[in-house]
Amino acid sequence: MTLQSDRAGAADAAGVEVRIRAVLQAADPEAVWAVGGPDGPRAGSADEAPALDVGALMPVLALWPVIGSLVAEEALRLHTPLTAYGIEADAATTAHHLLSHSTGPAAHTALARLAEHLTGVPLAELAATRVWRPLGMTGTAFADGTLYAPPADLVRFLSHLLSPAEQPLSRAWVGESLRIRTGELTPARGLLWHPAPHGTWSYGETPTVWLSPRLARWALLLPTRPPGPLRTAFREAAFPASAPTPV
């Protein structure tokens, strides 16, 4: 027997795909994209696309999960000053501050240095052994000074973030990251992730990934041209305000 909620979910997924294809056909037909949930992709542009330059997503694909793994094993406390770990920094600087209040290469470099200092292992190896290999992201690797990953690996990563699995990233780390950590300050941020309309969270400006715990849905967009208004139009197509909440 097909439940009414199942039929509604299927209809919503079909509607999302139609809307996204219409948006991209008009703005960037060659863009790589996918939408899915904890069980994997539900729609997308290509399953067998080769590894692409996703260097702009490196913080969320490498730094953020590695820091999360260190927090989970209690090797790092987010609110402890970096100087307590032997890292040269301002006295008030913490990992929490770098993740929630700071942006740009300087913050990312400081987080990478912290992770490498705590483990004695380069960030690339930390990400590969702690995150990418356990998730089957065999095509993801640093090369030529940037990060490359096939869309299929991004799908595995995003699906895991909405799944009930506790390894390699814990539900606690994902949940703590997807809530406002900046108090009354603006812009509001979580731990690296940025809040977006309708309970959605995002990372990235050109290549972008989104998560919606409420809808149990993720999305990714790798445009082939400057996205301009496409980014907002894609998000609104993938996460419409009227989408039914999974039961």
Side-chain angles (χ1 to χ4, degrees):
M1 179 178 67
T2 302
L3 298 177
Q4 184 174 354
S5 59
D6 294 336
R7 290 196 295 267
D12 174 59
V16 165
E17 181 171 7
V18 169
R19 289 192 296 271
I20 288 176
R21 291 192 182 278
V23 165
L24 292 176
Q25 185 59 39
D28 190 354
E30 301 303 314
V32 174
W33 65 277
V35 175
D39 297 325
R42 296 169 186 164
S45 57
D47 294 332
E48 303 300 328
L52 303 171
D53 183 344
V54 294
L57 296 177
M58 183 280 293
V60 81
L61 295 174
L63 275 175
W64 173 73
V66 165
I67 294 296
S69 71
L70 293 172
V71 170
E73 65 188 35
E74 300 184 350
L76 171 65
R77 295 185 182 276
L78 291 180
H79 294 282
T80 297
L82 299 191
T83 53
Y85 297 106
I87 298 292
E88 184 177 345
D90 291 339
T93 301
T94 65
H96 181 275
H97 185 273
L98 293 174
L99 286 166
S100 62
H101 292 76
S102 301
T103 59
H108 301 155
T109 298
L111 287 168
R113 188 168 66 248
L114 173 63
E116 293 175 346
H117 177 77
L118 291 174
T119 62
V121 178
L123 177 66
E125 185 176 343
L126 286 172
T129 57
R130 288 172 175 253
V131 184
W132 302 338
R133 289 176 195 163
L135 290 177
M137 298 168 61
T138 57
T140 301
F142 286 96
D144 304 322
T146 190
L147 181 65
Y148 290 87
D153 279 10
L154 303 183
V155 164
R156 291 184 179 92
F157 181 79
L158 294 171
S159 299
H160 170 66
L161 299 187
L162 293 178
S163 78
E166 287 291 341
Q167 295 292 334
L169 289 179
S170 71
R171 299 309 90 209
W173 176 246
V174 176
E176 287 295 301
S177 298
L178 303 183
R179 68 179 181 86
I180 302 299
R181 306 299 293 253
T182 46
E184 299 299 320
L185 299 178
T186 57
R189 292 181 65 187
L191 294 178
L192 198 73
W193 293 83
H194 298 252
H198 314 309
T200 303
W201 294 80
S202 72
Y203 186 84
E205 295 295 332
T206 303
T208 310
V209 293
W210 290 267
L211 292 175
S212 174
R214 180 180 71 85
L215 298 178
R217 181 178 300 165
W218 54 259
L220 69 91
L221 174 65
L222 307 178
T224 63
R225 58 187 71 168
L230 170 61
R231 185 176 181 274
T232 298
F234 179 90
R235 188 203 71 227
E236 291 177 346
F239 303 95
S242 60
T245 302
V247 178

